[in-house]
Every structure is written in structure tokens, then in C-alpha cells.
Amino acid sequence: IKARHTHEFPGEEVCEICGVRYALAGGGLSDFHGKEAHLNGKTHEGYAEIRGKLAELRAKKRLRDREKDKEREREREKEREKRKDKDRDRDRDRDRDKDKETADKDRDRRRDSGSKQEEAKGKAKARSRSASRAKEPRPRAKDTEAEKDKE
């Protein structure tokens, strides 16, 4: 596209800074229209100043953007650390809950096995108690009241 729309004129050149076409010295033109005259002109100097300021502002913006990127990265890192800590805490709590459940189950098993043994002992004692009861009748509440009345 650029080649199709570019026209070369002998004895003229386009300024890269301001885009003005100026005549090269020689070829019968006066020095007023030469390259030196163009470079010292107000239009060229104005564009040069604008382009310099633009370059300066772009450099400042790049620095600000880099600082912002660094700050964002620091924030992301903090968030990652928070998430890691939160995940670690959650895992730790989960492990504690599992350990507690396991301990509770073990305790319940011990109780169950202990209660079965106690039941067996209790049955044996119950048999022996019932045998002792058969030998000696236990005084009833009515009987004890009657004995108190006699006295």
C-alpha cells in the first residue's frame, strides 16, 4: 500500500518529524526552501518539541505501568498466600475432624466391647445375687414399718 501511494519527486524530500515536503538545495531553488531552512523553521521545531514531549510522557507511562504491574503481582501473590493458608487450615481442620471421628469410633468400640464384658459379668453377678436372695429373704418396706410399730 505504501509503495503504491508513494510518489518520488526529484529534488524534494519529506521530513520524518513534521511530514512537510521541502526542496533540496541546488537545482536552482533559493536557500529559503532548502533543508537547513526547513530544520530551523518554527513548524519543524514545534513538531520536534511535541514529539520529544510525547516520547517523555510515554516513557513515564511505561514506568507507571510497570510499577502497577509489579503491585498487581504482589497483590496476587498475597492472595495466593491467603488461599494457601486458608486451604492449609481447612485441610488441618478436616484432618482433626477425621482424627476426632476415628478416636470417637475407637472409644465407642472400647465402650461396646467393655459393656459386653460388663454385661457378661453382670449376668454372672445377677445369677449369684438371685441365689443369695433365695437363701435370705429381704425385708420389705411393710415389714420394716411393722417392726418399728412393735417397738
Side-chain angles (χ1 to χ4, degrees):
I1 294 176
K2 187 176 181 180
R4 242 187 320 167
H5 297 286
T6 302
H7 302 285
E8 293 288 329
F9 293 101
E12 289 185 339
E13 197 170 288
V14 176
C15 178
E16 294 294 324
I17 294 175
C18 61
V20 172
R21 205 173 347 159
Y22 58 89
L24 295 173
L29 297 172
S30 68
D31 287 334
F32 179 71
H33 295 288
K35 185 174 183 175
E36 288 296 321
H38 170 74
L39 295 177
N40 292 328
K42 288 184 177 182
T43 304
H44 180 82
E45 287 177 359
Y47 271 97
E49 189 177 324
I50 289 170
R51 286 183 184 257
K53 187 66 173 178
L54 182 64
E56 180 184 328
L57 292 173
R58 284 181 177 163
K60 284 182 181 179
K61 185 178 185 310
R62 259 184 297 208
L63 287 174
R64 274 195 320 260
D65 289 346
R66 285 182 195 150
E67 288 299 318
K68 284 181 182 179
D69 289 344
K70 286 179 184 178
E71 184 62 32
R72 283 186 199 127
E73 187 58 35
R74 283 187 217 117
E75 290 296 322
R76 285 184 197 132
E77 190 62 34
K78 285 180 185 178
E79 289 296 321
R80 281 187 212 121
E81 288 298 320
K82 285 181 183 178
R83 273 187 259 130
K84 280 183 182 179
D85 290 344
K86 196 173 185 178
D87 289 346
R88 193 177 307 125
D89 290 344
R90 186 180 64 231
D91 291 343
R92 190 178 309 130
D93 290 344
R94 190 179 301 145
D95 289 343
R96 283 183 192 155
D97 290 345
K98 284 181 183 180
D99 291 344
K100 187 177 180 182
E101 287 175 13
T102 304
D104 290 345
K105 286 179 183 178
D106 290 345
R107 187 176 56 242
D108 291 344
R109 284 186 197 128
R110 285 193 302 267
R111 282 183 188 165
D112 289 345
S113 66
S115 65
K116 287 178 184 178
Q117 291 173 355
E118 288 175 10
E119 283 178 24
K121 288 180 184 178
K123 286 180 182 178
K125 285 183 179 181
R127 283 186 214 125
S128 64
R129 271 193 256 147
S130 62
S132 66
R133 284 185 187 159
K135 294 178 186 173
E136 296 177 26
R138 188 172 172 196
R140 295 183 187 172
K142 291 179 185 178
D143 295 337
T144 55
E145 287 177 19
E147 286 179 21
K148 288 181 183 179
D149 288 338
K150 287 180 185 178
E151 296 176 358

